[in-house]
Amino acid sequence: QVQLVESGGGSVQTGGSLRLSCAVSGDTYSWYCRGWFRQAPGKERERVATIGRDGRISVADSVQGRFTISEDNAKNTLYLQMNSLKPEDTAMYYCAADPLAPTYLDRGRFYCSPRQDSYWGQGTQVTVSS
C-alpha cells in the first residue's frame, strides 16, 4: 500500500517562499506519475505540477516560473518549491501518485495526471496574505 505524507505548508506574506515535501512509502514511486495538486475553498482541484513515468515535467501556466517540482529518489520524497507566492496561491496542497495515470495533451504539451482513486496524501495548507 502506497502512502503519501505532505509537510511544509504554512502562512506567508505575498512574495514569500515555501517548500513542500511529500514522503512516499510502500513502493518505489519513480515509475509512477507523481505530482502536486491544490484546491482552494469553493474551487475545483487544480493540477500544479507533475512528473511522468518518463521523467517529463509539466507545470501549470498559473505557477510557471514561480514553482519548481523536484524529487530525491534516494529519500523517496517529492518536493514543490514555491517562490513569489501570491494570495491566489492559497489552497490545500496535495501530492499524488498513480502507476496507471493517463496522459493528456494540452496546447502541444503532454502531461500525466493521477486519477482520483489512486494514491493521495492528506494535504498541507498554504495561506498567502497580502
Side-chain angles (χ1 to χ4, degrees):
Q1 181 72 15
V2 175
Q3 292 186 320
L4 300 91
V5 179
E6 302 97 334
S7 61
S11 297
V12 297
Q13 292 189 326
T14 297
S17 297
L18 285 172
R19 188 174 84 153
L20 305 184
S21 299
C22 174
V24 184
S25 61
D27 198 358
T28 302
Y29 76 100
S30 59
W31 54 278
Y32 287 39
C33 167
R34 60 275 188 197
W36 292 94
F37 291 71
R38 67 185 181 185
Q39 187 167 20
K43 295 189 176 182
E44 293 187 355
R45 187 173 292 180
E46 174 190 19
R47 183 182 63 90
V48 176
T50 52
I51 302 176
R53 289 180 290 272
D54 59 357
R56 184 195 306 265
I57 289 177
S58 176
V59 180
D61 289 343
S62 58
V63 302
Q64 185 74 250
R66 300 188 298 121
F67 290 12
T68 303
I69 187 172
S70 64
E71 59 190 357
D72 185 333
N73 290 331
K75 296 181 179 179
N76 242 25
T77 301
L78 190 67
Y79 301 102
L80 184 68
Q81 178 66 44
M82 305 185 296
N83 299 327
S84 302
L85 282 161
K86 305 175 181 180
E88 51 264 43
D89 295 318
T90 295
M92 185 72 79
Y93 283 71
Y94 300 89
C95 65
D98 187 349
L100 300 175
T103 299
Y104 300 93
L105 177 63
D106 178 39
R107 287 171 289 177
R109 295 177 295 180
F110 289 98
Y111 68 92
C112 65
S113 186
R115 296 164 296 168
Q116 292 277 21
D117 60 351
S118 189
Y119 303 110
W120 292 78
Q122 82 290 348
T124 185
Q125 178 68 37
V126 171
T127 302
V128 185
S129 57
S130 57

